[in-house]
Amino acid sequence: MSRAFAYVILGGGVAAGYAALELVRHGDGVSPGELCIISDEAVAPYERPALSKGYLLPRGAARLPAFHTCVGANDELLRVQWYTDHGIELFLGTRVVSADVRRKILLTANGETINYKTLIIATGARALKLEEFGVSRSDAANVCYLRSLEDAHKMEGVMRSCHGGNAVVIGGGYIGMECAAALVANEIKVAMVFPRKHCMDRLFTPKIAEFYENYYAAKGVTFIKEARVTSFETLSDGKVTAAILRDGRSLPADMVVVGIGARANTELFDGKLAMEKGGIKVNGRMQTSDAAVYAVGDVAAFPVALLGGDVRRYEHVDCARRTARRAVEAIMERSDGAEERGEKGFDYLPFFYSRVFALSWQFYGDNVGEPVHFGDFSVSSGPAGARPKFGACWVSGGLVAGVFLEGGSREENEAVASAVRSRARIGDMAAELESRGLAFAELE
Ligand code: FDA
Ligand code: NAD
């Protein structure tokens, strides 16, 4: 069968949901029958961050439809009915297996062809597998990854069967940290194994990492740093019972959670579109090297105006939402000015965040230059129940390049964001920051 649409969104994750809403809202909006979304997931677009937070809570866990897009940005909740009401076709459980950008045709695994006039690629990223590092057993019944709702469903079931038991978490990045917190909340003992000196070392300074490591340790998490899992002990049914480290140590495991990084899903377009930074290269309008094709979210590498047009690819939800909106704006306006051609880059302030236990941090900008720490880094300081508040400001050439803030209020986070956006100048920065902390953002 062959179908044709004016607009096709390939991928059904965060960016897809935000792009669909924007297409409907923009100007006269898309007409019924003009737009389809093709996703190999079985459900309509949802807020993926909920999978490692609300979905895994031991009580009052979040379930669909409550976290479909676009609730994460405090916007409309797009249930399946919303797509029907707007004449948007949702091809769910449908995998695209090849793309012909010259003829503007996508081929699905069921043999259907879908023609487009304009294509928005929103294929996101996938979890790296242990097999890519020479370790087998990813398919064991008690080895969990966390990228999709299906993964979260599996992990939740495995956790339920491991109450009071031991989990080995492989990886000390976002998934490792967020899943370790969820496991502790579900009363499972956690050993976290990763090859680096500190957790989250792509973003955290050693001092910041130490705070979280001490905080987690106080919750019973054991950190096994500068170590690698090289194999598993298994039962005859393949179920893992222990993780074996390179130095021969054996860690008991009733379950394993793997978070060892992600790779952008670009393969359909390899050799067909320009690539950069492990993703599909776009201009500041999110337009690829083919004028009819846009790319958004985790898969898009775009020039960031704030960083002098430097090309970056972010694997974070705010970026997925904003690049989706940017692409739709560009598609609908099709203006030709220099700004609109996207030559200067997209006016985007990089923003990441995480919430674990009672903690909550935000980061804005770029972690380049010298980090200067401020605030109180002691885990148990202050009156019982007091939230820690501390951070770091990366200073480059006397200007604020990026700021990390744990425990900030909404107003403080907003002030930090605007200090980074305006590239505030710091005078005698080290002394000033260390003594005045957040005052540099004119909060006090
Ligand atoms: P996303 O991965 O959301 O969607 C891609 C979609 O394309 C999927 O539906 C996929 O199945 C589909 N697809 C891919 N190839 C296809 C094909 N060939 N055919 C059909 N469909 C195809 N970020 C943050 O800033 N704060 C946070 O707290 C979190 N928390 C978090 C938790 C967890 C568990 C994960 C996995 C990730 C986060 N993130 C996050 C990251 C954030 O979720 C991520 O950046 C966005 O989901 C990216 O949105 P995209 O739409 O680009 O990809
Ligand atoms: P990551 O890149 O954040 O962390 C990977 C971790 O695995 C690092 O600690 C790294 O040192 C370690 N590692 C790498 N190879 C290893 C190996 N062979 N053995 C053991 N450890 C190894 O990736 P992730 O945590 O898997 O996250 C996957 C994706 O999900 C990323 O795109 C991330 O941005 C996204 N995510 C984001 C958030 C957030 O923004 N709050 C939350 C969850 C997931």
Side-chain angles (χ1 to χ4, degrees):
M1 207 170 82
S2 178
R3 301 283 305 272
F5 293 87
Y7 305 98
V8 171
I9 300 175
L10 168 52
V14 174
Y18 284 79
L21 181 61
E22 199 65 25
L23 278 163
V24 164
R25 281 190 181 157
H26 209 282
D28 294 333
V30 292
S31 305
E34 277 192 324
L35 168 64
C36 79
I37 296 179
I38 314 170
S39 174
D40 59 3
E41 290 193 82
V43 293
Y46 58 89
E47 302 283 357
R48 204 164 299 281
L51 299 181
S52 55
K53 303 173 187 74
Y55 196 92
L56 300 178
L57 289 175
R59 280 168 295 281
R63 290 290 178 266
L64 288 176
F67 60 92
H68 279 301
T69 54
C70 301
V71 288
N74 294 321
D75 208 324
E76 209 173 328
L77 174 75
L78 311 183
R79 297 166 191 259
V80 172
Q81 189 61 41
W82 180 87
Y83 295 91
T84 312
D85 292 347
H86 290 86
I88 299 169
E89 197 127 5
L90 275 179
F91 295 106
L92 298 177
T94 304
R95 183 157 188 81
V96 169
V97 290
S98 79
D100 183 339
V101 292
R102 208 174 40 78
R103 293 165 60 216
K104 303 188 177 176
I105 297 176
L106 304 175
L107 174 68
T108 72
N110 344 325
E112 271 185 287
T113 57
I114 295 173
N115 289 63
Y116 61 83
K117 286 195 180 121
T118 301
L119 174 65
I120 302 179
I121 304 170
T123 46
R126 64 177 179 280
L128 290 178
K129 292 283 165 102
L130 285 170
E131 280 69 8
E132 301 180 49
F133 297 88
V135 181
S136 51
R137 299 278 183 239
S138 276
D139 54 351
N142 59 344
V143 173
C144 303
Y145 287 81
L146 190 57
R147 183 74 207 181
S148 62
L149 185 67
E150 209 181 327
D151 295 338
H153 181 68
K154 173 176 173 180
M155 182 163 160
E156 191 248 344
V158 175
M159 277 198 316
R160 225 178 309 121
S161 69
C162 289
H163 191 83
N166 293 296
V168 172
V169 171
I170 307 180
Y174 289 94
I175 292 286
M177 295 300 279
E178 293 185 4
C179 288
L183 289 160
V184 169
N186 283 277
E187 296 177 30
I188 297 169
K189 293 185 272 303
V190 178
M192 256 177 100
V193 183
F194 50 89
R196 314 286 296 193
K197 274 204 172 77
H198 286 294
C199 66
M200 292 283 298
D201 69 342
R202 280 193 298 154
L203 176 64
F204 290 2
T205 63
K207 190 174 166 84
I208 294 175
E210 271 162 26
F211 169 85
Y212 291 97
E213 288 166 10
N214 291 336
Y215 189 98
Y216 273 57
K219 300 272 182 196
V221 175
T222 307
F223 285 83
I224 303 169
K225 303 179 194 179
E226 299 181 86
R228 279 180 194 272
V229 170
T230 49
S231 63
F232 294 113
E233 268 169 25
T234 56
L235 297 173
S236 55
D237 63 359
K239 214 166 163 188
V240 167
T241 53
I244 311 300
L245 306 186
R246 182 180 280 165
D247 62 8
R249 273 181 290 175
S250 169
L251 306 174
D254 298 299
M255 67 182 289
V256 174
V257 177
V258 186
I260 54 174
R263 181 163 299 148
N265 292 317
T266 59
E267 288 79 357
L268 290 172
F269 302 95
D270 281 344
K272 298 168 188 170
L273 298 175
M275 299 282 164
E276 196 168 335
K277 301 262 159 84
I280 298 172
K281 185 180 181 183
V282 294
N283 61 19
R285 292 161 48 89
M286 304 298 130
Q287 193 172 34
T288 69
S289 50
D290 179 314
V293 181
Y294 293 73
V296 295
D298 283 6
V299 82
F302 62 93
V304 182
L306 189 73
L307 307 180
D310 208 22
V311 173
R312 298 293 175 96
R313 190 174 66 78
Y314 296 106
E315 295 175 350
H316 294 283
V317 73
D318 177 69
C319 179
R321 294 170 182 152
R322 290 182 194 272
T323 53
R325 291 193 191 119
R326 174 70 187 127
V328 172
E329 246 173 57
I331 290 165
M332 294 312 212
E333 280 156 16
R334 296 185 192 279
S335 150
D336 241 4
E339 182 107 307
E340 273 309 306
R341 282 200 303 274
E343 284 159 6
K344 292 184 181 148
F346 175 31
D347 179 21
Y348 175 64
L349 173 64
F351 166 53
F352 335 137
Y353 71 89
S354 184
R355 287 189 297 273
V356 285
F357 296 112
L359 303 174
S360 169
W361 61 257
Q362 304 206 347
F363 173 81
Y364 295 91
D366 204 13
N367 56 336
V368 294
E370 273 307 302
V372 182
H373 297 94
F374 57 84
D376 182 359
F377 281 75
S378 52
V379 169
S380 57
S381 67
R387 286 182 59 189
K389 190 185 291 183
F390 63 84
C393 175
W394 280 259
V395 180
S396 178
L399 305 177
V400 174
V403 177
F404 176 96
L405 180 58
E406 167 62 53
S409 64
R410 191 166 58 82
E411 293 73 22
E412 285 165 340
N413 283 316
E414 279 170 7
V416 157
S418 78
V420 178
R421 177 175 276 291
S422 66
R423 307 235 41 208
R425 177 165 288 283
I426 306 281
D428 177 6
M429 54 100 180
E432 193 173 352
L433 275 170
E434 272 161 11
S435 65
R436 295 171 63 216
L438 277 175
F440 80 88
E442 291 181 346
L443 287 167
E444 292 166 358

